[in-house]
């Protein structure tokens, strides 16, 4: 039996309450207001009361105190900190504090996508500020080096630190999945971003960048396969624990005979490996689906309009919302591929559609062609594209919701497929009630061409909807194949045992007869319930929970990387080694904090 639902609320470190034993273990106490955990060392409030968040704060900020190991020694340390004796907290020398400050600033520069040389500018700004406000403290800047070379080295050190944390956790993964994204990069050499999502013993989910692979240097599928296997081996991950693959639906990924997915699934086939579940519609859903829906090269035409508006219509107030939205996505400078990708989003197309009259007037004023605004077929295709892409936008936003199992994502996909069936039926009947933009265009055309009995051809658009239906059926075939497993996992107390796989019927019957577990199921979210389920009493169900939890249930981490790249495309297009590029993307996408004390000590030892 093999359940692959999507991630349910996964932050499942048992009960969300403060535990007294954390005081000695992590040097925190319960704050007076009772929310979160108050650190005795730095007096900062850890807002969450999940153990992993408290532990991560301790490991990242105060690992120095691990040298106090004895119970009595630990208790004495807690007592001193309670009384406000922070002499131990001031264990860093002024030089070490300067190093730590420099590391923090370098990380901040990386998060904002700034160039290496801008560190010097930040240093100069701080110097001017201190000279005016705190002249006696200008000297603290002497030990903070933000030169380009030092900034590069520190970003690499932070990457190494984060990577070592990931590898340490990966060794304890019970199961993991990979996400392969070959469509993130715009404007220069293409890369494959490889993400890993693993689940630990306590059902803790870790989702991070595993590696990036230069597709120029690894052009063949065999070379890509070798690079991925090398990254897995370095992280201590065996194919025996791989559960799923989620990819884009490019030929490089899902080609029937030469796609990377078929190679990886073949490599993972052995008596000791699980059946690998693959689905290819999660990543860049709007972008890749738009090529099927854009049947008249609408986006290419609109792209030319936007370039003209950016270069010749900046002062027009009617275009300010459009330009502001564009600049928030990819900056002021126009990059062709980046602009094209932005225009393939439902939100953007809807905004362009609302401004179509203003754009026509603008084109007339600058002497550009307006032939498309008199072309019935083109206008109908435009309205149809806007409506379908808006529905795809809604689905894409739903698939960015995290902390749910894949079952919930699959439910949203099934609901969208139902929507496509409705659209197909309405289009066949000539009913445009589900196509607001298309309907608006048709009404306008009827006013202009009153003698024309047939404004649009429904068959033209039925073909497009049918193509989308087939694409979704193909992309999520594996999830559909295990639909009953997903239903069983999501609703273990209502699923009829006779419909369950034979291997799990006994455990399922036993589970459904347990009143205590039923009460826990009703009072906890699904992740917490399975985290607390006994592995000894329910080994098969518990094993399935590990596999299910390891499946990617959203495209959030991929969208985070894509957004980081598009916002900082011109900075990142500067000459960078693959190593530096990987470091920047790891810093930008990870939820882990660097272990600053380790970095400071490494810096001083070097």
């Amino acid at each position: 039996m093999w359940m692959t639902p999507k991630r349910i609320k996964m932050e499942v470190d048992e009960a969300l309450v403060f535990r007294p034993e954390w005081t000695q273990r992590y040097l925190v106490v319960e704050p007076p207001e009772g929310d979160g955990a108050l650190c005795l060392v730095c007096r900062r409030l850890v807002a969450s009361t999940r153990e992993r968040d408290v532990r991560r704060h301790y490991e990242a900020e105060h690992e120095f105190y691990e040298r106090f190991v004895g119970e009595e020694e630990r208790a004495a340390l807690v007592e001193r900190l309670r009384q406000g004796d922070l002499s131990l907290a001031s264990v860093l020398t002024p030089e070490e504090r300067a190093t730590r400050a420099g590391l923090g600033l370098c990380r901040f520069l990386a998060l904002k996508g700034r160039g290496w040389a801008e560190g010097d500018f930040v240093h100069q700004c701080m110097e001017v500020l201190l000279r005016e406000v705190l002249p006696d403290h200008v000297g603290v800047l002497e030990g903070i080096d933000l030169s380009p070379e030092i900034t590069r080295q520190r970003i690499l050190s932070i990457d190494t630190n984060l990577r070592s944390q990931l590898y340490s956790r990966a060794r304890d993964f019970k199961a993991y999945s990979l996400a392969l994204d070959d469509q993130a990069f715009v404007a220069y050499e293409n890369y494959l971003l490889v993400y890993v999502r693993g689940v630990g013993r306590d059902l803790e989910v870790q989702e991070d960048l595993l590696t990036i692979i230069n597709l120029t240097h690894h052009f063949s599928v065999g070379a890509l396969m070798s690079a991925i296997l090398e990254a897995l081996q370095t992280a201590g991950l065996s194919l025996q624990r791989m559960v799923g693959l989620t990819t884009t639906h490019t030929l490089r990924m899902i080609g029937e005979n030469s796609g990377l997915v078929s190679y990886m699934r073949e490599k993972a086939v052995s008596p000791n490996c699980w059946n690998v579940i693959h689905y290819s519609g999660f990543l860049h859903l709007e972008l890749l689906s738009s090529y099927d829906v854009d049947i008249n090269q609408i986006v290419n035409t609109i792209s030319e309009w936007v370039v003209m508006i950016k270069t010749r219509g900046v002062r027009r107030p009617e275009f300010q919302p459009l330009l502001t939205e564009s600049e928030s996505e990819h900056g002021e400078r126009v990059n062709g591929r980046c602009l094209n990708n932005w225009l393939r989003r439902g939100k953007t197309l809807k905004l362009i559609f609302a401004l179509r009259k203003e754009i026509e007037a603008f084109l007339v004023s600058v002497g550009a062609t307006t032939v498309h605004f008199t072309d019935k077929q083109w206008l109908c295709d435009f309205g149809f594209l806007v409506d379908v892409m808006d529905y795809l936008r809604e689905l894409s936003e739903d698939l960015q919701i995290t902390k749910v199992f894949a079952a919930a994502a699959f439910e949203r996909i099934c609901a969208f497929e139902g929507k496509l069936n409705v659209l197909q039926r309405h289009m066949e009947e000539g009913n445009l009630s589900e196509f607001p933009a298309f309907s608006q265009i048709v009404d306008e055309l009827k006013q202009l061409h009153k003698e024309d009995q047939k404004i649009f051809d429904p068959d033209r658009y039925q073909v497009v909807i049918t193509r989308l239906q087939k694409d979704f059926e193909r992309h999520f075939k594996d999830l559909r194949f295990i639909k009953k497993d997903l239903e069983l996992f999501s609703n273990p107390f209502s699923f009829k045992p006779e419909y369950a796989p034979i291997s799990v019927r006994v455990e399922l019957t036993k589970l459904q007869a347990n009143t205590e577990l039923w009460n826990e199921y009703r009072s906890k979210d699904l992740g917490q319930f399975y985290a607390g389920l006994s592995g000894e009493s329910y080994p098969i169900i518990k094993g399935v929970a590990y596999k299910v939890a390891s499946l990617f249930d959203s495209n959030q981490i991929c969208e985070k990387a894509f957004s980081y790249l598009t916002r900082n495309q011109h900075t990142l297009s500067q000459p960078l080694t693959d190593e530096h590029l990987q470091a920047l993307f790891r810093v930008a996408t990870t939820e882990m904090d660097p272990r600053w004390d380790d970095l400071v000590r490494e810096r001083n030892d070097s």
Side-chain angles (χ1 to χ4, degrees):
M1 171 179 131
W2 199 142
M3 317 198 169
T4 16
K6 117 187 201 169
R7 153 170 59 159
I8 14 187
K9 293 203 166 184
M10 272 327 291
E11 319 225 316
V12 292
D13 288 310
E14 306 98 64
L16 302 181
V17 295
F18 184 87
R19 295 183 177 182
E21 60 266 27
W22 293 352
T23 298
Q24 283 200 20
R25 188 182 305 166
Y26 304 124
L27 305 181
V28 293
V29 293
E30 188 172 10
E33 61 273 18
D35 295 327
L38 181 65
C39 180
L40 289 171
V41 182
C42 62
R43 301 298 175 180
R44 283 167 53 189
L45 182 68
V46 181
S48 172
T49 48
R50 295 184 176 92
E51 183 174 6
R52 74 169 178 182
D53 296 322
V54 176
R55 182 177 66 245
R56 285 179 180 177
H57 171 79
Y58 174 76
E59 290 177 347
E61 302 289 340
H62 312 302
E63 196 180 21
F64 166 82
Y65 293 96
E66 280 295 287
R67 66 186 65 185
F68 299 92
V69 293
E71 185 175 349
E72 293 183 2
E73 193 178 19
R74 199 79 176 171
L77 171 64
V78 169
E79 188 58 32
R80 290 181 63 181
L81 292 173
R82 279 182 185 275
Q83 294 174 5
D85 181 1
L86 300 181
S87 58
L88 287 171
S90 305
V91 294
L92 296 179
T93 64
E95 292 77 13
E96 290 173 331
R97 289 190 176 279
T99 299
R100 178 161 175 158
L103 286 162
L105 286 170
C106 289
R107 183 198 185 201
F108 184 74
L109 288 170
L111 285 171
K112 297 301 180 181
R114 314 310 298 179
W116 310 128
E118 294 192 36
D120 282 336
F121 175 70
V122 172
H123 192 280
Q124 292 168 14
C125 289
M126 291 191 298
E127 185 174 358
V128 171
L129 178 67
L130 287 177
R131 286 191 187 282
E132 295 297 329
V133 181
L134 297 169
D136 295 338
H137 293 77
V138 174
V140 301
L141 296 177
E142 294 179 359
I144 302 177
D145 189 349
L146 294 177
S147 63
E149 184 58 34
I150 292 298
T151 300
R152 278 195 291 266
Q153 292 175 6
R154 285 177 172 171
I155 293 297
L156 289 178
S157 297
I158 292 172
D159 173 62
T160 301
N161 184 277
L162 293 170
R163 194 157 15 103
S164 67
Q165 291 185 58
L166 173 63
Y167 292 171
S168 176
R169 297 176 187 181
R171 286 194 292 269
D172 297 326
F173 285 168
K174 292 293 184 179
Y176 72 91
S177 295
L178 297 179
L180 310 177
D181 182 4
D182 62 343
Q183 292 294 302
F185 278 74
V186 295
Y188 52 106
E189 282 187 298
N190 204 3
Y191 287 81
L192 175 68
L193 300 181
V194 182
Y195 304 96
V196 62
R197 174 185 165 95
V199 58
R201 182 179 301 276
D202 295 326
L203 232 66
E204 283 190 1
V205 169
Q206 178 77 29
E207 204 170 281
D208 254 294
L209 176 71
L210 179 64
T211 188
I212 69 169
I213 301 172
N214 191 320
L215 293 176
T216 304
H217 302 153
H218 300 81
F219 184 77
S220 68
V221 173
L224 275 178
M225 183 73 182
S226 298
I228 293 173
L229 291 178
E230 181 181 352
L232 290 174
Q233 184 178 11
T234 304
L237 293 168
S238 66
L239 288 176
Q240 284 71 25
R241 287 182 283 163
M242 186 167 72
V243 170
L245 279 171
T246 183
T247 68
T248 59
H249 45 272
T250 59
L251 287 176
R252 182 191 286 116
M253 293 291 111
I254 63 171
E256 186 173 349
N257 297 318
S258 58
L260 181 60
V261 171
S262 60
Y263 274 73
M264 291 200 68
R265 296 180 90 166
E266 182 180 347
K267 188 74 174 179
V269 171
S270 79
N272 298 321
C273 293
W274 298 324
N275 294 326
V276 175
I277 296 298
H278 170 249
Y279 41 101
S280 56
F282 263 40
L283 311 184
H284 306 294
L285 175 67
E286 285 182 273
L287 171 63
L288 296 178
S289 296
S290 69
Y291 290 97
D292 289 332
V293 184
D294 187 5
I295 52 179
N296 205 350
Q297 303 298 308
I298 304 291
V299 171
N300 290 342
T301 301
I302 294 176
S303 180
E304 296 174 3
W305 295 349
V306 173
V307 170
M308 279 193 283
I309 291 171
K310 277 177 167 285
T311 55
R312 302 171 68 178
V314 174
R315 293 184 177 86
R316 294 176 179 255
E318 64 268 29
F319 297 139
Q320 289 308 309
L322 176 67
L323 296 173
T324 301
E325 177 72 19
S326 171
E327 291 169 7
S328 69
E329 289 290 328
H330 47 254
E332 296 181 4
R333 296 170 61 186
V334 179
N335 169 276
R337 184 178 172 189
C338 187
L339 178 63
N340 188 278
N341 290 353
W342 175 65
L343 290 171
R344 291 184 180 279
R345 295 183 178 181
K347 180 181 177 181
T348 309
L349 287 169
K350 201 170 182 179
L351 181 57
I352 295 286
F353 182 81
L355 291 170
R356 65 190 186 283
K357 299 296 184 183
E358 290 81 358
I359 292 174
E360 182 180 10
F362 165 73
L363 293 175
V364 170
S365 70
V366 298
T369 179
T370 58
V371 64
H372 298 95
F373 292 96
T374 58
D375 185 336
K376 289 192 299 182
Q377 185 70 76
W378 192 92
L379 288 171
C380 288
D381 291 345
F382 184 22
F384 175 78
L385 174 67
V386 170
D387 289 328
V388 176
M389 289 307 300
D390 194 45
Y391 288 127
L392 284 165
R393 173 194 60 79
E394 292 176 358
L395 176 60
S396 180
E397 290 177 355
D398 285 342
L399 294 179
Q400 291 182 38
I401 298 174
T402 61
K403 301 180 177 42
V404 287
F405 278 126
F410 185 58
E411 288 175 4
R412 296 187 182 106
I413 291 162
C414 291
F416 182 77
E417 290 177 326
K419 184 67 176 181
L420 288 177
N421 292 335
V422 172
L423 296 178
Q424 180 73 288
R425 185 166 61 252
H426 282 205
M427 185 59 71
E428 184 179 359
E429 299 168 353
N431 179 359
L432 299 183
S433 60
E434 298 290 336
F435 299 91
F438 195 0
S439 177
Q440 190 174 340
I441 290 291
V442 170
D443 290 342
E444 292 175 1
L445 291 173
K446 283 181 178 179
Q447 293 296 321
L448 293 173
H449 305 277
K450 295 181 179 180
E451 74 288 350
D452 196 340
Q453 298 297 316
K454 189 175 183 180
I455 299 296
F456 70 97
D457 179 12
D459 293 341
R460 176 179 178 86
Y461 304 108
Q462 284 182 256
V463 170
V464 178
I465 298 173
T466 300
R467 189 185 306 141
L468 273 179
Q469 289 173 316
K470 291 181 178 178
D471 285 345
F472 270 76
E473 183 178 351
R474 183 176 71 254
H475 297 329
F476 299 102
K477 180 176 62 177
D478 279 9
L479 291 179
R480 191 170 287 103
F481 180 74
I482 58 167
K483 184 177 180 180
K484 283 192 177 295
D485 299 78
L486 297 175
E487 292 173 353
L488 187 153
F489 182 83
S490 298
N491 304 286
F493 285 92
S494 60
F495 196 94
K496 294 183 179 180
E498 57 266 29
Y499 294 145
I502 296 175
S503 60
V504 79
R505 286 180 187 175
V506 174
E507 285 190 15
L508 184 61
T509 303
K510 179 182 174 183
L511 178 74
Q512 293 178 348
N514 192 316
T515 305
E516 184 179 347
L517 288 177
W518 163 244
N519 291 331
E520 289 185 13
Y521 175 75
R522 290 190 303 170
S523 62
K524 297 179 179 180
D525 65 46
L526 198 52
Q528 290 177 322
F529 170 74
Y530 280 110
L533 192 65
S534 170
E536 295 180 358
S537 301
Y538 304 95
I540 298 177
I541 294 179
K542 186 76 170 184
V544 166
Y546 286 134
K547 298 176 187 178
V548 168
S550 71
L551 287 175
F552 278 87
D553 61 355
S554 80
N555 57 13
Q556 188 190 55
I557 190 170
C558 299
E559 288 298 323
K560 188 187 291 186
F562 184 68
S563 176
Y564 178 74
L565 176 63
T566 52
R567 285 198 314 269
N568 306 299
Q569 54 177 301
H570 301 293
T571 299
L572 297 176
S573 63
Q574 303 303 315
L576 292 172
T577 65
D578 292 351
E579 186 181 22
H580 280 105
L581 202 58
Q582 176 173 279
L584 290 172
F585 273 87
R586 190 182 308 282
V587 170
T589 58
T590 187
E591 293 185 357
M592 295 187 295
D593 289 321
R595 292 181 174 172
W596 299 111
D597 290 348
D598 288 350
L599 286 166
V600 169
R601 285 194 291 270
E602 290 170 6
R603 179 78 179 165
N604 291 335
D605 292 342
S606 60

